Amino acid sequence: MDKDGRNPNANDETIISSGGSPGALTASGSSGFPSDAPTLQIGRTLAGRYKIISLLGQGGMGAVYKAQDLELDRAVALKVIRPELASNADILHRFKQELINARQVTHKNVIRIFDLSEDAGIRFITMEFVEGEDLRAYVARVGKLSVQEAVGTILQVCRGLEAAHAEGIIHRDLKPQNIIRQNNGRVLVMDFGLARSVDSDKMTISGALLGTLEYMSPEQANGKELDGRSDLFTLGIIFYELLTGSAPYQADSAIASLIKRSSERATPVIEIDPTVPRVISDVVYRCLEPALTDRYQSATEIIRDLDSWCAGNETVVSSSRTRALPAVRAKRPLRTAGIVAAILLVLSAATGVFFFWNRSSREAQSHKPITILVTDFDNKTGEDVFDNTLEPALSVAMEGASFISSYSRSQAHKIAAQMKPGTTVVDESLGRLIATREGITLVLTGSIEKSAANYLVHVKAVDSATGNVIGDESTDVADKSEVLPALNKVASKLRKTLGDKKSNSGAADETYTAASLEAAHEYAEGQKAQQSGKLDEAMTHFQNATKIDPSMGRAYAGLAIVYQNLGKRAESEQNYKLALERLDRMTDRERFRTRGGYYLVTHKAQQAMQEMAALVQQYPSDSAGIANLALAYFYQRDMQKALEYGRKSIEIFPKNVPQRNNVGLYAMYAGKFDDAIAQQKTVLELNPSFALAYVGMGLSQLGLNKPQDAAETFNRLASLNAGAKSTAALALADVALYQGKYQSVISNLPAAIEADVKAKDAGSAALKQLALGDAYLALGKNPQAVSAAETAIKLSQEDPVMIAAGRIFAAAGAAASVKPIIAQLAKKVEPDPQAYSKLLEGELALHTGNVPEAVRLLRQSQSSADTWLVHFDLGRAYLAANGAAEADSEFEICQRRAGEATALYLDESPTFHIYPEVLYYRAMAKQGLNSPSAGEMFSAFIAIKQNGDANPMLQDANRRLKK
């Protein structure tokens, strides 16, 4: 299975239905009003549109339900307003006005409010439904957060506040219960504006303030007029609690605490916990300044200072745990806080790559990301060459602003077909429905028409939620060859309207570098076909583009990706080289993407990382660049950074199926099996036929030692289609091998191999031959194992096949068969083949009894690439040398990196059956150390294999356990 299935290039109490506590729901309204809202029957439909699914909990304003919006086919949170609030005309008027205001806040870190509606006298609010738990429940569960995670959480809250404050909306009731954390680490703020609507009635309800006194700012407690700085004081209290696990103003009562914060300064965080960096402690301290003038004046200032600190450290949590950022080498002090700021020259500690952080990059990072959907142009010219040509060109031209990302038009058409069967055109109206469903900020709609003398190009940008026109630009040209440059000028003006400071009407920032409209048309058609999975059709269009314009480098890159997805690596590399020959004619963005794609295809992770990091540095909202940077980290086996960048990519487009699936796979390889399963479930909700999601889910279930669950998942995979059935057969064999059911594998795989050969799928047949070889090897049937491995390499010469076959040869004592594989791998310049060449040499030495030579060769292998197998083999070598302590250390690493054992060659081809051997060998190491845990590990190994076939390793484990 090819990894490049991960295609390179390619508010109120809502929610606590996953991991949260119902108590959080009660706490997060206006402070614990008793709810006497009418109870709604499950299955009831309100306003002919909202079908009640389940009760989520009770809040200060009323009951909260999960409902299905039947019109837009999405889940929403529906809050029924308490009758005494709903019947008060003044409250209702204020409520409605606040909702109108709060609805303008559209940001990924803010739960959106949709509408205030009524049905049969029942007033209710609808809002975004999000699964997660509130911050108070999360901290109660996991304890105080690491500095990195606390900073990442606060950064996201700040970005939500920044967006709200920009619209003139103040929260007034910010607290951990009003902050939701999803399982993927995304943080959202809820309840903007609603607290004010209830509070402004000055109702004298007993205990109405008890839930919020501990987070009030001094000016709010004194009844003064508030602005955004009040929210920032509250933010400081929350930040303090995340870092220390305790409140900053300890007192006998909430009132006493409130008095203290009005007259005293908080104890600096660094005095409570000296491990917290001083600069972070200073940020908290400045948030908690009692005097407004001494406090931070905006959320933007906090973001700037935290981002500066992040840039000076190797890791920071942005959307979940940690992600790599460039490390600062020069710093400047900040007024009163001593916070560092990024300087021009930034060094990436992880990659050794230098970047120039220019003015436009800083501006881009301070601009909140904008997502756009370009609908189908209205082609009034009657000329087919404009069909599906202007839309992708406009999308790329708009992405000339680093903070703008375009939503996949192919995906938009699929959603349109689901929403309105038979629809082939996505116009403005349908585009807005799709954008609302997918969380897209703007919809761009355009037209082109021809008069007697001119072509007129017109593009309009509208807010997806409100329909307000944000920008409206048009231009006319005399000849159709001038249409693409004219479209770029229109895009430049729209980018400037949206806040791009470097746009100008004459800029040619980013469009397809094509010599003719016809070539651009063919390229666009190729992209469309490729995104739809029609690879043969895509190849034809890309080839046509190169014939019309032989200098069009991106067309060759398109061909390269098609060949890669067809498994034709040589043809892919050839076309990438043709694209690279045409770099001089490309824009910066095209060059980054082309070189980065080439390095990913050739598995040159270091170079790919350099290109993608530079791309993301210049275009921070380029979701494909971020996703490919994650892939580059993955190829370097830095699973944590791969996971973090993968999560960041789906922050921009949460419903991008391939990228979300990658996040699940990265979590699997990182050993975060529960997280992986959660991501894959989301993928399958979005696309139930996405085969790779079943593979990731099943392997993660096996990683949790749930072979029955894994088998059920793989059987579901088998029901999809013939290709999925072949994949499932190999995965089910891995489950059987994991459990020690070797005879079952030997009996069942030959039929699956025969089906692969008949389908001319030699690669899949080869992988199954290797699984067959492992079964024979486990039973001590070495000649049959060698025969299976020999058949495998006749079917496929791919590196993973050759390496796995070499390991079987070495273990079976067929040294003559291993040496040609070692020589073949050694000829390659990439780190992985070099590493595996030495690893096979080391295994050969180990199996022939030359342990010192084995260790030397394995250490050489590790210097090329730190693979999971090298630690496994080193552990076995140290055991053979009676080095129990050293062996224990190596096997501990194997256990810590268990996720990598799911697919040893990073291609999703299942290999987790090797993992139980780690328990067996580490038990032997523990035995050598006279550790009582040896028995536990032998028992764990035996428990996995107890229903399997008798074999030498199982027999030895039983013997040692009895002893």
Side-chain angles (χ1 to χ4, degrees):
M1 196 176 308
D2 196 324
K3 141 108 14 6
D4 297 305
R6 305 185 180 97
N7 198 352
N9 302 337
N11 288 285
D12 212 51
E13 312 100 337
T14 30
I15 19 309
I16 320 261
S17 67
S18 174
S21 72
L25 290 169
T26 304
S28 57
S30 295
S31 310
F33 291 114
S35 177
D36 55 1
T39 301
L40 300 181
Q41 185 175 0
I42 303 303
R44 176 177 177 177
T45 300
L46 291 184
R49 177 174 177 177
Y50 302 103
K51 183 178 180 180
I52 304 300
I53 304 300
S54 61
L55 175 68
L56 296 178
Q58 303 288 339
M61 288 158 39
V64 188
Y65 296 85
K66 179 181 179 181
Q68 185 70 13
D69 184 338
L70 301 177
E71 185 172 322
L72 293 179
D73 188 25
R74 65 179 178 187
V76 297
L78 184 148
K79 167 171 281 188
V80 179
I81 304 173
R82 291 170 36 242
E84 68 267 33
L85 296 178
S87 61
N88 186 311
D90 289 339
I91 291 178
L92 202 58
H93 174 75
R94 284 193 296 273
F95 225 133
K96 191 173 292 187
Q97 189 58 49
E98 287 295 329
L99 284 171
I100 291 171
N101 293 336
R103 204 162 52 183
Q104 304 306 309
V105 184
T106 56
H107 191 271
K108 66 184 178 184
N109 297 121
V110 176
I111 289 179
R112 290 195 64 182
I113 298 175
F114 297 137
D115 211 352
L116 173 66
S117 304
E118 180 181 13
D119 185 348
I122 298 175
R123 295 273 183 177
F124 59 91
I125 304 164
T126 53
M127 63 200 77
E128 182 182 6
F129 177 84
V130 180
E131 290 191 347
E133 63 184 317
D134 69 53
L135 196 56
R136 170 158 285 182
Y138 177 66
V139 173
R141 180 166 61 83
V142 304
K144 73 175 184 177
L145 306 187
S146 68
V147 174
Q148 287 81 9
E149 187 169 11
V151 169
T153 300
I154 294 299
L155 269 171
Q156 292 185 76
V157 175
C158 279
R159 290 182 177 118
L161 291 175
E162 181 185 48
H165 293 171
E167 299 291 343
I169 307 297
I170 307 167
H171 197 291
R172 293 179 172 83
D173 194 27
L174 191 65
K175 53 191 173 184
Q177 301 97 307
N178 276 338
I179 300 170
I180 296 297
R181 182 190 184 278
Q182 291 183 274
N183 289 337
N184 64 4
R186 180 186 174 201
V187 174
L188 299 96
V189 183
M190 60 187 184
D191 257 358
F192 276 103
L194 300 186
R196 178 185 181 185
S197 298
V198 178
D199 199 24
S200 59
D201 186 53
K202 297 182 176 64
M203 292 182 297
T204 56
I205 298 178
S206 175
L209 294 178
L210 289 179
T212 56
L213 279 177
E214 57 187 327
Y215 295 102
M216 274 189 180
S217 67
E219 58 270 26
Q220 186 174 6
N222 291 326
K224 295 181 180 179
E225 187 69 23
L226 304 182
D227 59 23
R229 292 173 294 182
S230 176
D231 286 345
L232 303 186
F233 187 95
T234 302
L235 182 83
I237 297 176
I238 296 170
F239 202 179
Y240 197 106
E241 291 180 344
L242 297 184
L243 291 166
T244 67
S246 61
Y249 301 95
Q250 297 289 335
D252 294 333
S253 67
I255 293 293
S257 173
L258 185 57
I259 293 171
K260 286 183 72 173
R261 79 185 70 136
S262 300
S263 57
E264 299 178 12
R265 289 174 177 265
T267 302
V269 168
I270 197 170
E271 293 183 23
I272 305 297
D273 185 353
T275 66
V276 175
R278 177 169 295 280
V279 292
I280 298 302
S281 177
D282 289 344
V283 170
V284 179
Y285 199 73
R286 187 174 171 191
C287 287
L288 295 176
E289 288 283 1
L292 281 169
T293 54
D294 294 332
R295 200 180 301 164
Y296 278 108
Q297 300 301 292
S298 68
T300 304
E301 290 183 3
I302 302 175
I303 292 170
R304 178 199 65 200
D305 290 346
L306 291 179
D307 273 343
S308 296
W309 178 80
C310 294
N313 290 269
E314 290 186 2
T315 55
V316 61
V317 175
S318 174
S319 61
S320 63
R321 294 285 176 182
T322 58
R323 66 180 175 89
L325 284 179
V328 177
R329 294 303 180 216
K331 306 177 181 181
R332 63 171 175 80
L334 177 74
R335 177 175 62 88
T336 75
I339 308 299
V340 299
I343 202 69
L344 293 180
L345 193 60
V346 182
L347 172 65
S348 168
T351 65
V353 185
F354 287 87
F355 303 107
F356 186 72
W357 198 329
N358 58 29
R359 181 169 175 259
S360 63
S361 294
R362 292 195 303 272
E363 289 170 350
Q365 291 188 343
S366 66
H367 198 296
K368 62 182 180 182
I370 292 175
T371 52
I372 63 170
L373 169 62
V374 177
T375 62
D376 295 332
F377 264 65
D378 185 6
N379 181 7
K380 301 177 182 179
T381 67
E383 299 180 33
D384 292 345
V385 72
F386 292 113
D387 292 339
N388 191 42
T389 302
L390 302 183
E391 297 91 344
L394 177 61
S395 295
V396 178
M398 290 299 296
E399 287 184 339
S402 59
F403 55 85
I404 295 176
S405 292
S406 297
Y407 187 76
S408 165
R409 294 188 64 253
S410 173
Q411 184 65 20
H413 275 272
K414 289 178 182 177
I415 295 171
Q418 294 170 4
M419 297 175 73
K420 294 189 175 182
T423 298
T424 58
V425 176
V426 177
D427 58 12
E428 178 183 340
S429 175
L430 187 52
R432 282 185 58 199
L433 286 176
I434 294 168
T436 302
R437 166 176 161 159
E438 298 297 301
I440 300 166
T441 314
L442 296 177
V443 171
L444 271 62
T445 182
S447 66
I448 182 169
E449 55 186 292
K450 184 181 180 183
S451 64
N454 295 322
Y455 288 88
L456 176 64
V457 179
H458 173 238
V459 180
K460 178 176 65 173
V462 300
D463 182 279
S464 61
T466 66
N468 293 337
V469 177
I470 306 301
D472 194 328
E473 300 292 343
S474 60
T475 189
D476 59 339
V477 293
D479 188 84
K480 71 179 181 181
S481 64
E482 300 173 15
V483 168
L484 284 181
L487 186 66
N488 192 44
K489 291 181 181 180
V490 168
S492 183
K493 291 177 181 178
L494 287 172
R495 296 199 310 265
K496 187 174 182 180
T497 299
L498 297 176
D500 183 17
K501 297 180 181 180
K502 67 183 180 65
S503 283
N504 59 77
S505 60
D509 295 287
E510 180 71 7
T511 185
Y512 298 120
T513 308
S516 70
L517 193 61
E518 288 76 12
H521 174 74
E522 289 292 339
Y523 178 68
E525 290 290 342
Q527 281 190 313
K528 180 180 177 182
Q530 185 182 42
Q531 290 167 359
S532 301
K534 301 174 182 177
L535 299 183
D536 291 336
E537 184 180 325
M539 185 182 300
T540 299
H541 285 297
F542 287 137
Q543 287 171 340
N544 288 342
T546 63
K547 290 174 184 175
I548 298 168
D549 180 7
S551 298
M552 190 177 183
R554 286 301 293 168
Y556 291 103
L559 274 172
I561 295 168
V562 170
Y563 279 120
Q564 178 68 13
N565 288 334
L566 289 172
K568 298 181 178 180
R569 180 171 171 177
E571 291 88 343
S572 176
E573 289 188 30
Q574 180 183 356
N575 278 278
Y576 257 125
K577 288 175 182 176
L578 291 170
L580 294 171
E581 291 173 6
R582 292 155 176 81
L583 283 179
D584 291 344
R585 200 162 169 266
M586 297 182 188
T587 63
D588 283 348
R589 206 165 191 173
E590 285 180 290
R591 283 194 288 270
F592 288 138
R593 286 174 170 170
T594 300
R595 285 192 299 247
Y598 168 71
Y599 292 136
L600 284 173
V601 164
T602 55
H603 286 206
K604 296 176 180 175
Q606 187 71 22
Q607 294 96 319
M609 191 177 298
Q610 294 174 14
E611 296 296 330
M612 294 305 172
L615 172 62
V616 172
Q617 181 74 12
Q618 190 165 335
Y619 300 95
S621 297
D622 191 311
S623 63
I626 295 169
N628 285 342
L629 184 54
L631 187 55
Y633 275 119
F634 170 81
Y635 283 140
Q636 284 207 319
R637 294 178 175 78
D638 192 336
M639 302 305 174
Q640 188 61 49
K641 289 192 178 74
L643 180 57
E644 301 317 320
Y645 275 102
R647 282 175 170 159
K648 185 171 178 61
S649 74
I650 61 171
E651 281 185 5
I652 299 173
F653 289 124
K655 296 188 178 181
N656 184 309
V657 169
Q659 288 184 12
R660 183 171 288 279
N661 183 71
N662 283 0
V663 174
L665 292 175
Y666 296 146
M668 177 189 81
Y669 283 113
K672 300 178 184 297
F673 297 124
D674 286 320
D675 288 351
I677 292 169
Q679 289 292 346
Q680 306 297 9
K681 284 181 177 177
T682 302
V683 169
L684 292 174
E685 287 172 5
L686 295 169
N687 184 352
S689 62
F690 198 81
L692 198 53
Y694 291 97
V695 176
M697 181 182 293
L699 285 175
S700 296
Q701 289 165 331
L702 199 56
L704 292 171
N705 194 26
K706 297 179 179 180
Q708 187 59 44
D709 290 354
E712 289 175 6
T713 298
F714 294 139
N715 280 318
R716 287 166 57 201
L717 169 63
S719 67
L720 295 181
N721 52 54
K725 184 177 181 180
S726 172
T727 301
L730 178 63
L732 287 166
D734 190 54
V735 175
L737 289 171
Y738 174 85
Q739 295 178 295
K741 298 178 180 180
Y742 307 114
Q743 292 293 351
S744 171
V745 173
I746 292 169
S747 298
N748 294 328
L749 271 187
I753 293 169
E754 184 179 350
D756 286 338
V757 172
K758 190 175 293 185
K760 297 182 178 179
D761 188 354
S764 294
L767 294 173
K768 293 181 180 67
Q769 285 286 353
L770 293 168
L772 200 57
D774 282 340
Y776 282 125
L777 202 61
L779 293 173
K781 298 181 178 181
N782 290 354
Q784 293 93 325
V786 169
S787 177
E790 287 174 343
T791 303
I793 59 178
K794 288 176 184 176
L795 288 165
S796 173
Q797 310 297 297
E798 290 293 323
D799 285 358
V801 173
M802 302 296 285
I803 296 162
R807 295 191 71 244
I808 291 174
F809 292 146
S817 298
V818 184
K819 290 177 181 178
I821 296 175
I822 293 171
Q824 181 176 323
L825 294 170
K827 291 177 183 177
K828 301 189 177 185
V829 296
E830 294 91 345
D832 273 20
Q834 288 287 320
Y836 283 117
S837 172
K838 290 297 179 185
L839 182 135
L840 289 177
E841 280 194 78
E843 288 198 356
L844 203 54
L846 179 61
H847 288 295
T848 55
N850 192 347
V851 176
E853 179 67 2
V855 171
R856 186 186 68 81
L857 290 165
L858 290 170
R859 288 300 181 194
Q860 286 184 7
S861 172
Q862 188 180 15
S863 68
S864 294
D866 188 31
T867 63
W868 187 92
L869 274 175
V870 79
H871 293 285
F872 180 73
D873 284 347
L874 279 168
R876 294 193 299 161
Y878 284 126
L879 269 182
N882 296 318
E886 293 87 346
D888 185 58
S889 295
E890 296 297 336
F891 291 126
E892 181 181 356
I893 292 171
C894 290
Q895 286 190 282
R896 194 164 61 240
R897 291 169 55 179
E900 294 173 52
T902 55
L904 289 170
Y905 309 109
L906 308 184
D907 59 357
E908 285 74 68
S909 297
T911 59
F912 199 66
H913 63 270
I914 194 174
Y915 184 75
E917 293 183 28
V918 174
L919 301 176
Y920 168 78
Y921 286 122
R922 194 174 187 199
M924 291 177 65
K926 293 291 187 184
Q927 196 173 44
L929 294 171
N930 295 317
S931 169
S933 62
E936 296 173 10
M937 289 193 172
F938 279 128
S939 295
F941 172 77
I942 293 167
I944 293 172
K945 303 286 188 179
Q946 63 185 350
N947 294 321
D949 303 318
N951 67 88
M953 190 174 287
L954 179 60
Q955 293 166 349
D956 184 64
N958 277 307
R959 181 181 61 79
R960 288 174 181 270
L961 182 62
K962 290 177 182 177
K963 201 172 182 180

